Amino acid sequence: MNARDNRHNREQRAAAAPDHHNEPDRAWIITTMTLEEIRGQENAMEIPDRVQSAGAALEELLQAAKKQEYLTVGVYESAKVMNVDPDSVAFCVLATDEEYECDIALQIHFTLIQAFCFDNDINVVRVNDIERLADLVSAGEPGEPKDAHCILVTSPSANPWKDPALDKLSGFCEERRSVYDWVPTVTLPER
Protein backbone atom coordinates (compact mmCIF):
# COMPACT_ATOMS: atom_id res chain seq x y z
CA MET A 1 0.00 0.00 0.00
CA ASN A 2 1.47 3.34 -0.96
CA ALA A 3 0.90 6.89 0.23
CA ARG A 4 -1.75 7.54 -2.43
CA ASP A 5 -3.83 4.55 -1.23
CA ASN A 6 -3.53 5.67 2.41
CA ARG A 7 -4.74 9.16 1.45
CA HIS A 8 -7.64 7.64 -0.53
CA ASN A 9 -8.67 5.45 2.49
CA ARG A 10 -8.59 8.48 4.81
CA GLU A 11 -10.75 10.45 2.39
CA GLN A 12 -13.30 7.61 2.18
CA ARG A 13 -13.48 7.35 5.99
CA ALA A 14 -13.88 11.11 6.27
CA ALA A 15 -16.68 11.10 3.71
CA ALA A 16 -18.46 8.27 5.53
CA ALA A 17 -18.11 9.93 8.94
CA PRO A 18 -21.00 12.13 10.08
CA ASP A 19 -20.52 15.84 9.71
CA HIS A 20 -20.33 17.17 13.27
CA HIS A 21 -19.74 20.71 12.09
CA ASN A 22 -23.42 21.19 11.22
CA GLU A 23 -24.70 19.75 14.53
CA PRO A 24 -24.98 21.75 17.72
CA ASP A 25 -22.11 21.37 20.15
CA ARG A 26 -22.44 18.35 22.35
CA ALA A 27 -20.99 18.01 25.77
CA TRP A 28 -19.92 14.51 26.64
CA ILE A 29 -19.70 13.61 30.28
CA ILE A 30 -17.75 10.55 31.16
CA THR A 31 -18.22 9.25 34.66
CA THR A 32 -15.80 6.90 36.29
CA MET A 33 -17.06 4.93 39.26
CA THR A 34 -15.21 2.63 41.59
CA LEU A 35 -16.53 -0.83 42.35
CA GLU A 36 -17.41 0.30 45.86
CA GLU A 37 -19.51 3.18 44.48
CA ILE A 38 -21.35 0.83 42.13
CA ARG A 39 -22.03 -1.61 44.94
CA GLY A 40 -23.15 1.30 47.11
CA GLN A 41 -25.70 2.37 44.50
CA GLU A 42 -26.96 -1.18 44.05
CA ASN A 43 -27.42 -1.65 47.78
CA ALA A 44 -28.66 1.87 48.63
CA MET A 45 -32.31 0.83 48.66
CA GLU A 46 -31.66 -2.19 50.87
CA ILE A 47 -29.59 -0.45 53.57
CA PRO A 48 -32.45 0.90 55.76
CA ASP A 49 -34.02 -2.56 55.94
CA ARG A 50 -30.70 -4.16 56.82
CA VAL A 51 -29.97 -1.55 59.48
CA GLN A 52 -33.41 -2.17 61.04
CA SER A 53 -32.84 -5.91 60.86
CA ALA A 54 -29.40 -5.48 62.45
CA GLY A 55 -31.00 -3.35 65.18
CA ALA A 56 -33.46 -6.12 66.01
CA ALA A 57 -30.61 -8.65 66.02
CA LEU A 58 -28.60 -6.39 68.35
CA GLU A 59 -31.53 -6.15 70.75
CA GLU A 60 -31.90 -9.96 70.72
CA LEU A 61 -28.16 -10.43 71.24
CA LEU A 62 -28.00 -8.05 74.19
CA GLN A 63 -31.01 -9.65 75.88
CA ALA A 64 -29.63 -13.17 75.39
CA ALA A 65 -26.13 -12.17 76.54
CA LYS A 66 -27.57 -10.50 79.63
CA LYS A 67 -29.42 -13.70 80.58
CA GLN A 68 -26.18 -15.66 80.19
CA GLU A 69 -24.24 -12.95 82.08
CA TYR A 70 -22.03 -12.38 79.04
CA LEU A 71 -22.28 -8.57 79.06
CA THR A 72 -19.67 -6.07 80.16
CA VAL A 73 -21.11 -2.57 80.41
CA GLY A 74 -19.07 0.63 80.67
CA VAL A 75 -15.95 2.05 79.05
CA TYR A 76 -13.56 1.30 81.93
CA GLU A 77 -15.04 -2.12 82.64
CA SER A 78 -14.72 -3.00 78.95
CA ALA A 79 -11.11 -1.82 78.85
CA LYS A 80 -10.33 -4.09 81.82
CA VAL A 81 -11.85 -7.13 80.09
CA MET A 82 -9.98 -6.36 76.87
CA ASN A 83 -6.74 -6.14 78.82
CA VAL A 84 -7.22 -9.25 80.97
CA ASP A 85 -9.01 -11.64 78.59
CA PRO A 86 -9.13 -10.29 75.02
CA ASP A 87 -10.05 -13.69 73.56
CA SER A 88 -13.36 -13.65 75.44
CA VAL A 89 -14.67 -10.59 73.55
CA ALA A 90 -17.17 -11.61 70.85
CA PHE A 91 -18.81 -8.28 69.93
CA CYS A 92 -18.55 -4.57 70.77
CA VAL A 93 -21.20 -1.83 70.86
CA LEU A 94 -20.24 1.83 71.08
CA ALA A 95 -22.96 4.35 71.89
CA THR A 96 -22.77 8.04 71.19
CA ASP A 97 -24.75 10.98 72.49
CA GLU A 98 -24.27 14.71 73.06
CA GLU A 99 -21.73 13.93 75.80
CA TYR A 100 -19.56 12.08 73.27
CA GLU A 101 -19.25 15.19 71.08
CA CYS A 102 -17.85 17.23 73.98
CA ASP A 103 -15.82 14.59 75.84
CA ILE A 104 -12.32 14.29 74.36
CA ALA A 105 -11.37 11.52 76.82
CA LEU A 106 -14.38 9.46 75.71
CA GLN A 107 -13.45 9.97 72.05
CA ILE A 108 -9.90 8.77 72.79
CA HIS A 109 -11.28 5.70 74.58
CA PHE A 110 -13.52 4.95 71.59
CA THR A 111 -10.55 5.24 69.22
CA LEU A 112 -8.49 2.85 71.35
CA ILE A 113 -11.37 0.39 71.74
CA GLN A 114 -12.01 0.43 67.97
CA ALA A 115 -8.30 -0.14 67.29
CA PHE A 116 -8.26 -3.07 69.72
CA CYS A 117 -11.34 -4.57 68.09
CA PHE A 118 -9.93 -4.17 64.56
CA ASP A 119 -6.62 -5.76 65.61
CA ASN A 120 -8.43 -8.70 67.21
CA ASP A 121 -11.11 -9.25 64.53
CA ILE A 122 -13.95 -8.21 66.82
CA ASN A 123 -17.00 -6.70 65.13
CA VAL A 124 -18.00 -3.22 66.27
CA VAL A 125 -21.24 -1.30 65.74
CA ARG A 126 -22.31 2.18 66.77
CA VAL A 127 -25.69 3.05 68.28
CA ASN A 128 -26.96 6.63 68.51
CA ASP A 129 -29.69 5.97 71.10
CA ILE A 130 -27.72 5.57 74.33
CA GLU A 131 -30.82 5.87 76.53
CA ARG A 132 -32.53 2.97 74.78
CA LEU A 133 -29.31 0.95 74.97
CA ALA A 134 -28.95 1.69 78.70
CA ASP A 135 -32.55 0.58 79.25
CA LEU A 136 -31.83 -2.71 77.46
CA VAL A 137 -28.76 -3.59 79.51
CA SER A 138 -30.09 -2.27 82.82
CA ALA A 139 -33.66 -3.60 82.61
CA GLY A 140 -34.80 -5.14 85.85
CA GLU A 141 -31.76 -3.97 87.81
CA PRO A 142 -32.12 -1.59 90.75
CA GLY A 143 -30.32 1.75 90.83
CA GLU A 144 -29.19 4.17 88.18
CA PRO A 145 -28.76 3.05 84.58
CA LYS A 146 -25.24 1.93 83.76
CA ASP A 147 -22.79 3.83 81.57
CA ALA A 148 -23.69 2.29 78.22
CA HIS A 149 -21.12 4.10 76.08
CA CYS A 150 -19.35 0.77 75.56
CA ILE A 151 -20.84 -2.70 75.83
CA LEU A 152 -18.98 -5.92 75.20
CA VAL A 153 -20.58 -9.26 74.54
CA THR A 154 -18.20 -11.83 75.93
CA SER A 155 -18.01 -15.56 75.57
CA PRO A 156 -15.94 -18.06 77.50
CA SER A 157 -12.85 -19.01 75.49
CA ALA A 158 -13.11 -22.68 76.47
CA ASN A 159 -16.73 -23.03 75.32
CA PRO A 160 -17.59 -20.29 72.79
CA TRP A 161 -21.18 -19.11 72.88
CA LYS A 162 -23.19 -19.52 69.68
CA ASP A 163 -26.13 -17.23 69.04
CA PRO A 164 -28.08 -16.65 65.79
CA ALA A 165 -28.29 -12.90 66.48
CA LEU A 166 -24.50 -12.74 66.87
CA ASP A 167 -24.09 -14.55 63.54
CA LYS A 168 -26.53 -12.14 61.87
CA LEU A 169 -24.69 -9.09 63.24
CA SER A 170 -21.33 -10.53 62.20
CA GLY A 171 -22.64 -10.94 58.66
CA PHE A 172 -23.99 -7.38 58.71
CA CYS A 173 -20.63 -5.99 59.86
CA GLU A 174 -18.74 -7.98 57.24
CA GLU A 175 -21.08 -6.70 54.52
CA ARG A 176 -20.66 -3.09 55.65
CA ARG A 177 -16.86 -3.44 55.76
CA SER A 178 -16.96 -4.56 52.10
CA VAL A 179 -18.13 -1.02 51.26
CA TYR A 180 -15.65 0.60 53.67
CA ASP A 181 -18.10 1.25 56.50
CA TRP A 182 -15.79 0.10 59.29
CA VAL A 183 -18.08 0.92 62.23
CA PRO A 184 -21.66 0.73 60.94
CA THR A 185 -24.42 2.52 62.78
CA VAL A 186 -27.29 0.34 63.94
CA THR A 187 -30.75 1.65 64.81
CA LEU A 188 -32.48 -0.13 67.67
CA PRO A 189 -36.18 -0.90 67.16
CA GLU A 190 -38.71 1.43 68.77
CA ARG A 191 -40.48 0.22 71.88
Side-chain angles (χ1 to χ4, degrees):
M1 200 184 258
N2 58 33
R4 192 171 128 223
D5 291 337
N6 282 338
R7 187 170 15 115
H8 178 71
N9 287 340
R10 279 195 305 262
E11 288 171 0
Q12 283 182 336
R13 283 192 304 257
D19 185 11
H20 293 290
H21 298 290
N22 295 333
E23 294 180 18
D25 288 336
R26 292 185 192 177
W28 294 92
I29 299 173
I30 298 174
T31 304
T32 306
M33 295 180 72
T34 63
L35 183 58
E36 290 78 22
E37 291 171 329
I38 293 169
R39 283 186 185 158
Q41 283 185 347
E42 290 171 354
N43 295 331
M45 301 306 287
E46 300 170 4
I47 289 174
D49 292 337
R50 290 187 180 156
V51 170
Q52 284 299 108
S53 177
L58 179 59
E59 184 175 18
E60 288 175 34
L61 175 66
L62 293 174
Q63 290 170 343
K66 184 177 178 183
K67 288 178 187 172
Q68 297 288 329
E69 297 183 3
Y70 289 163
L71 282 184
T72 302
V73 181
V75 173
Y76 296 108
E77 294 80 358
S78 297
K80 288 179 197 174
V81 169
M82 290 176 172
N83 189 39
V84 174
D85 191 9
D87 293 334
S88 70
V89 181
F91 198 79
C92 179
V93 180
L94 298 174
T96 58
D97 58 0
E98 298 82 33
E99 179 184 345
Y100 172 80
E101 300 299 324
C102 301
D103 191 341
I104 300 299
L106 185 59
Q107 292 177 18
I108 291 169
H109 285 297
F110 273 30
T111 301
L112 293 172
I113 289 167
Q114 287 176 19
F116 175 86
C117 290
F118 294 153
D119 286 346
N120 291 281
D121 296 322
I122 299 166
N123 291 312
V124 184
V125 295
R126 188 175 298 259
V127 174
N128 291 330
D129 190 352
I130 194 166
E131 292 173 6
R132 173 87 169 89
L133 196 58
D135 289 344
L136 273 174
V137 297
S138 300
E141 294 180 10
E144 283 187 38
K146 298 179 179 180
D147 169 27
H149 282 103
C150 182
I151 299 171
L152 298 180
V153 175
T154 57
S155 176
S157 300
N159 188 16
W161 181 50
K162 301 290 182 199
D163 186 82
L166 180 59
D167 292 339
K168 189 173 192 174
L169 283 166
S170 296
F172 172 77
C173 289
E174 184 176 327
E175 181 181 298
R176 298 308 307 151
R177 279 192 302 272
S178 73
V179 291
Y180 300 104
D181 185 5
W182 303 110
V183 183
T185 300
V186 172
T187 302
L188 291 168
E190 295 291 324
R191 280 226 159 172

